Amino acid sequence: MKKFADLHLCPSLRNTNSLKDMINTASRLGYHFLGISLPTKISEGEIQELREICSTAGADLVTRVDLAPKTSRDLLNQLRQFRRRFEVVAVTCLSKAVARQAAKDRRVDLLSFPADPRKRFFDAAEGELASKALASLEINMASILSLQSFPRVRLLSRLRWEKEIAKRFKVPLVISSGADNEYLLRAPHDFATLASLFDLPLSSALNSLSEGPQSIVERNRLKLSPGYVAPGVRVIK
């Protein structure tokens, strides 16, 4: 049985009731892994509270940080500082230089881009770099749901093109909600069907909501576990 994942929930952590409603709704819709975007200065105690809320809802919290560096040097500094604190590291690429650095850095899990097609820098160069690293291309479905008319058409056209680039270079796709409220959440099969708007086959879309994100979580949990040295190498006491 597939374990579905939504690796990009953006609730307000200060509004406990809204936070719980969003987590409960996501779990009820069928998501097992819930990636919640967290501030870099969050404490271990606050993370533990979130973990308990998710557990009560029948879900598994995945700690996520969203980096939005202005330069490639800023990105390197932030990765050095935060990589080992979070299970998933996503980079919002706001420039071509940042996109290329993020695509080739094996510490980056997800490449994320704004909804505006003019600010989406994923092309063949990023695809080739990402194919040699570990980064996946994240598609946030909230952008499709929120946009209307011509802006939505432009975004879907861009996503079709990016999907083909990712396929050409074998870069994994990860479908996330990107939701900041429960009304932008949808069941996994609903999102998979919606992905047909940018010509992603149903089986591929379901994989982008299950096996793909799950492999990222499992890989990074192994790396963050005590005794981990390198792939295939662990210290056993």
Side-chain angles (χ1 to χ4, degrees), residues 151-168:
R152 179 187 285 174
V153 172
R154 288 177 58 203
L155 175 59
L156 289 173
S157 177
R158 177 69 189 193
L159 289 176
R160 290 188 194 101
W161 187 74
E162 291 180 3
K163 183 265 298 182
E164 289 300 320
I165 294 292
K167 180 180 178 181
R168 175 183 168 190

Side-chain angles (χ1 to χ4, degrees), residues 93-95 112-122 158:
C93 303
L94 301 175
S95 71
S112 186
F113 296 90
D116 186 346
R118 295 169 298 179
K119 297 179 181 179
R120 298 183 69 89
F121 301 104
F122 186 82
R158 177 69 189 193

Side-chain angles (χ1 to χ4, degrees), residues 118-134:
R118 295 169 298 179
K119 297 179 181 179
R120 298 183 69 89
F121 301 104
F122 186 82
D123 58 20
E126 281 68 46
E128 184 174 9
L129 290 170
S131 69
K132 300 174 183 177
L134 295 173

Side-chain angles (χ1 to χ4, degrees), residues 5-8 64 109-111 135-141 171-177 200 205 207-216:
D6 186 344
L7 292 188
H8 197 194
R64 167 181 173 139
D109 300 309
L110 298 172
L111 301 175
S136 298
L137 175 62
E138 182 176 51
I139 297 176
N140 287 302
M141 304 303 275
V171 177
L173 294 179
V174 168
I175 293 177
S176 304
S177 69
L200 189 64
N207 181 73
S208 297
L209 286 152
S210 54
E211 286 93 340
Q214 183 177 347
S215 67
I216 294 173

Side-chain angles (χ1 to χ4, degrees), residues 3-200:
K3 287 187 176 181
F4 290 105
D6 186 344
L7 292 188
H8 197 194
L9 299 178
C10 311
S12 169
L13 300 183
R14 295 182 179 179
N15 188 332
T16 304
N17 290 332
S18 176
L19 171 65
K20 289 182 177 180
D21 287 344
M22 196 168 180
I23 290 172
N24 286 328
T25 298
S27 178
R28 188 169 62 251
L29 287 171
Y31 294 99
H32 176 76
F33 297 102
L34 299 182
I36 297 181
S37 184
L38 304 174
T40 57
K41 295 183 179 180
I42 192 168
S43 69
E44 290 301 320
E46 290 171 311
I47 290 176
Q48 184 57 36
E49 289 179 13
L50 277 175
R51 204 176 298 282
E52 291 172 0
I53 293 173
C54 287
S55 179
T56 299
D60 186 346
L61 172 68
V62 178
T63 59
R64 167 181 173 139
V65 67
D66 285 271
L67 306 178
K70 295 181 178 179
T71 67
S72 55
R73 177 169 292 187
D74 288 340
L75 173 59
L76 292 174
N77 289 335
Q78 291 176 18
L79 288 171
R80 193 177 302 115
Q81 188 173 2
F82 301 120
R83 170 66 270 191
R84 291 198 60 79
R85 284 204 62 205
F86 299 92
E87 293 167 329
V88 171
V89 171
V91 176
T92 302
C93 303
L94 301 175
S95 71
K96 191 70 172 175
V98 169
R100 293 197 172 179
Q101 181 61 49
K104 68 182 180 182
D105 198 308
R106 295 177 69 85
R107 294 171 293 181
V108 175
D109 300 309
L110 298 172
L111 301 175
S112 186
F113 296 90
D116 186 346
R118 295 169 298 179
K119 297 179 181 179
R120 298 183 69 89
F121 301 104
F122 186 82
D123 58 20
E126 281 68 46
E128 184 174 9
L129 290 170
S131 69
K132 300 174 183 177
L134 295 173
S136 298
L137 175 62
E138 182 176 51
I139 297 176
N140 287 302
M141 304 303 275
S143 298
I144 298 175
L145 295 173
S146 300
L147 292 175
Q148 297 180 356
S149 189
F150 188 60
R152 179 187 285 174
V153 172
R154 288 177 58 203
L155 175 59
L156 289 173
S157 177
R158 177 69 189 193
L159 289 176
R160 290 188 194 101
W161 187 74
E162 291 180 3
K163 183 265 298 182
E164 289 300 320
I165 294 292
K167 180 180 178 181
R168 175 183 168 190
F169 290 100
K170 296 182 172 58
V171 177
L173 294 179
V174 168
I175 293 177
S176 304
S177 69
D180 59 7
N181 64 75
E182 61 181 306
Y183 302 106
L184 288 173
L185 296 173
R186 299 291 187 276
H189 281 80
D190 292 338
F191 273 152
T193 301
L194 192 62
S196 65
L197 293 174
F198 51 90
D199 298 337
L200 189 64

